[in-house]
């Protein structure tokens, strides 16, 4: 997941989800696919396709994408990175399996983590792996992914309650609060990363409400 340029070798995997290879890195395939289209170099798109196949193989039958090496937990933030890659590659390349996998992943996240009370930002096979509370970027990612997936059969659960949750992160100055961190601690500071996630979610939801085409939107998400 990381490369040490000074040492000239990969960084050893660590316990955090971002410190090892995982399905969430399918988001990089969005760049590889676009680079292949712009340069005409087939190897970039071939790498994107290999990442896609690896991601599809990693999906749990429930729909979730494991975000730790032993598969015992799924943090929703990287889970939705995999979803974003699936939806975008389907929009650009026409990959029905990617769309179907993305819809299964969205359904799982909504039904298992976000819509039940109390919600959680990380699902775990055991209670000690579960992280309660929500981050604004996770809520925004769920709303954005639902809008990009569009209608289908069977329909996805209605995420409308999450719009009120996302609104609860608004700060008086106009920013978006981070929410609760990976230890369940409240972090009330404004976060630019989360703010732009929230803006994208609101814009896509508004576009869908006006009858916009989610697939055309997905093709431009970065």
């Amino acid at each position: 997941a990381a490369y040490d340029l000074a040492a000239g070798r990969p960084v050893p995997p660590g316990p955090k989800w971002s410190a090892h290879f995982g399905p969430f890195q399918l988001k990089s395939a969005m760049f590889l696919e676009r680079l292949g289209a712009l340069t005409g170099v087939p190897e970039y798109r071939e790498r994107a396709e290999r990442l896609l196949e690896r991601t599809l193989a990693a999906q749990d039958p429930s729909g979730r994408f494991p975000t730790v090496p032993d598969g015992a937990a799924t943090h929703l933030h990287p889970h939705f990175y995999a979803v974003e890659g699936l939806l975008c590659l389907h929009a650009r390349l026409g990959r029905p399996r990617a769309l179907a996998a993305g819809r299964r992943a969205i359904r799982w996240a909504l039904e298992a983590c976000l819509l039940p009370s109390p919600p959680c930002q990380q699902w775990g096979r055991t209670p000690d792996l579960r992280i309660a509370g929500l981050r604004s970027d996770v809520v925004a990612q769920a709303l954005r992914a639902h809008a990009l997936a569009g209608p289908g059969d069977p329909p996805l659960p209605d995420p409308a309650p999450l719009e009120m949750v996302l609104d609860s992160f608004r700060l008086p100055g106009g920013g978006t609060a981070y929410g609760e961190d990976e230890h369940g601690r409240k972090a009330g500071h404004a976060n630019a990363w989360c703010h732009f996630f929230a803006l994208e979610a609101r814009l896509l939801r508004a576009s869908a409400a006006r009858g916009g085409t989610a697939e055309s939107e997905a093709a431009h998400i970065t």
Side-chain angles (χ1 to χ4, degrees):
Y3 191 84
D4 188 330
L5 292 175
R9 60 176 179 269
V11 176
K16 186 175 170 62
W17 65 262
S18 57
H20 56 80
F21 191 88
F24 56 88
Q25 287 184 313
L26 184 64
K27 189 156 185 175
S28 66
M30 297 159 60
F31 163 75
L32 290 170
E33 186 282 326
R34 181 56 64 207
L35 188 61
L38 291 172
T39 64
V41 177
E43 286 80 7
Y44 295 127
R45 183 166 285 178
E46 289 168 6
R47 289 179 183 271
E49 295 277 11
R50 289 203 297 271
L51 275 174
L52 173 59
E53 291 302 318
R54 182 168 179 164
T55 301
L56 292 172
Q59 189 173 30
D60 186 84
S62 66
R64 73 180 181 93
F65 286 104
T67 55
V68 292
D70 65 2
T74 291
H75 195 290
L76 291 185
H77 185 49
H79 172 82
F80 276 113
Y81 276 163
V83 172
E84 290 158 14
L86 290 168
L87 298 180
C88 185
L89 288 178
H90 170 65
R92 291 178 180 174
L93 301 176
R95 298 291 182 268
R97 287 196 304 142
L99 177 61
R103 292 180 65 85
R104 288 196 302 272
I106 296 167
R107 177 180 299 280
W108 174 84
L110 292 174
E111 293 180 342
C113 302
L114 293 174
L115 295 180
S117 183
C120 67
Q121 59 179 293
Q122 177 168 294
W123 177 94
R125 286 180 184 158
T126 56
D128 61 299
L129 292 174
R130 178 185 170 96
I131 300 176
L134 291 177
R135 294 161 33 166
S136 56
D137 55 354
V138 166
V139 176
Q141 283 176 287
L143 289 167
R144 182 172 69 169
H146 187 279
L148 291 173
D153 188 22
L156 292 171
D158 184 3
L162 294 180
E163 293 183 339
M164 295 181 63
V165 176
L166 186 60
D167 287 342
S168 73
F169 289 102
R170 284 179 174 170
L171 296 174
T176 300
Y178 180 88
E180 292 174 276
D181 66 16
E182 293 183 352
H183 304 285
R185 298 175 301 205
K186 191 75 173 179
H189 63 278
N191 183 285
W193 179 263
C194 294
H195 188 66
F196 286 116
F197 270 100
L199 285 173
E200 273 197 328
R202 291 191 175 99
L203 288 170
L204 282 173
R205 295 282 288 176
S207 175
R210 294 194 306 269
T213 304
E215 286 196 354
S216 65
E217 299 283 359
H220 298 286
I221 288 295
T222 58

